[in-house]
Amino acid sequence: MKKEPFSFDLTTPGFIPSHYDNHIQRKLSNMKGQYLNHEAYEAMLSEKDLLLYQVYELERPQIEGELLHGISIVHPGKVGNEFFMTKGHYHTVIDTAEIYYTLKGQGYMVMETPEGDCAVEELKAGSILYVPPRWAHRSVNTSSEENLVMFFAYPGNAGHDYGTIETQGFRKLVVEKDGKPEIVDNPRWALPEVG
Amino acid sequence: MKKEPFSFDLTTPGFIPSHYDNHIQRKLSNMKGQYLNHEAYEAMLSEKDLLLYQVYELERPQIEGELLHGISIVHPGKVGNEFFMTKGHYHTVIDTAEIYYTLKGQGYMVMETPEGDCAVEELKAGSILYVPPRWAHRSVNTSSEENLVMFFAYPGNAGHDYGTIETQGFRKLVVEKDGKPEIVDNPRWALPEVG
């Protein structure tokens, strides 16, 4: 891993970094149980294990003071009427923020805290989104044809906790209704028991 | 200060954020002793106290886990043959990184460590620069007419140490020579004494 300063470019039309260390690909099969309509999910999966989103990461030491960063690309599409989205996660060190700069496309960031607060912010090219410490976050692509591309950065020691969201989902879903995106309550969401 | 997630846009041609908390303006008079050619500096200052660069900041708690962020704009120009630049600084908590996304313009980031390493990276629209922990950094605009505009983010607890650079300068200068930018040694630079 580099000790010296380094640069890379985001100048291709798809914003794929000119240099990166890790390329993570999440397919439909990696999202079992995450979409509300399980029947639609199984039917889609039996046809093809589609690529839903990709992350290009630059490697840095996973310690305080460093900034992990890269590009996330969510492809367009739906499972049932629910738009393609990332798994979504809390940070393991929960008091750590994340910042996003949307480079292309449109969608929403769905967020919530362990205390039960929730928020949904619009994503569009040229917008910066600040996800404060304690907020789980998931990005959703609401375009029917364009990728949602974002630059992200977060503290090196943050870590990822996917389990909480995998178990309970997010409080809000982003679905298509009458040809437009709509934010609705997740009927399967339940506030975790406070021990 | 907001506890909830928030967004702002960078969609104007000048990339001035649609929302910000602090607007810092650095003029020629704030840069006393920073340019090599003191005579040229004094002559310019006697004519007009020019605005050299501006920073638009979003306020966040200055604690670990948060990310301070905003936009910096370095205007085009020179003092003698040395291009307009920021003061440059170490982080007070020296083991903290910073990340930059160049939105417009061209220039260089001049960097060095307390151990005497130095590095200069090119800045151009669409490039990401990672400044690892321990590296002091200064941005320099080498365009004759265009602003150098960058989005930046760094850990909330980093702080700024301007004093070290004000005293000893950077090891490298960016000057114009035969109509082109050139990186040269700073004849006044001295390695600080290790106590």
Side-chain angles (χ1 to χ4, degrees), chain B residues 9 38 40 44 48 53 58 62 66 84 86 99 101 111 116 125-126 140 159 172-173 177 183-185 187 190-191 195:
Chain B
D9 294 343
H38 291 184
M44 275 184 81
K48 197 181 172 190
Y53 68 98
L58 283 289
Q62 294 187 22
E66 296 276 354
F84 282 3
T86 61
I99 194 159
Y101 182 29
M111 294 165 283
V140 182
K172 298 286 180 185
L173 306 178
K177 202 171 170 182
I183 296 150
V184 298
D185 288 335
L191 189 67

Side-chain angles (χ1 to χ4, degrees), chain B residues 115-190:
Chain B
E115 289 74 35
D117 302 308
C118 67
V120 178
E121 286 279 318
E122 197 185 346
L123 303 170
K124 57 187 182 194
S127 79
I128 304 267
L129 167 67
Y130 192 74
V131 181
R134 301 192 75 74
W135 288 81
H137 41 284
R138 155 181 287 169
S139 48
V140 182
N141 183 352
T142 57
S143 167
S144 58
E145 44 196 33
E146 207 175 31
N147 287 336
L148 173 66
V149 186
M150 288 188 292
F151 168 73
F152 62 83
Y154 59 92
N157 64 327
H160 293 94
D161 162 17
Y162 291 103
T164 307
I165 295 298
E166 269 172 6
T167 308
Q168 73 181 68
F170 274 86
R171 205 162 168 165
K172 298 286 180 185
L173 306 178
V174 185
V175 299
E176 189 176 68
K177 202 171 170 182
D178 303 328
K180 284 187 288 192
E182 194 168 296
I183 296 150
V184 298
D185 288 335
N186 178 0
R188 287 197 288 124
W189 188 87

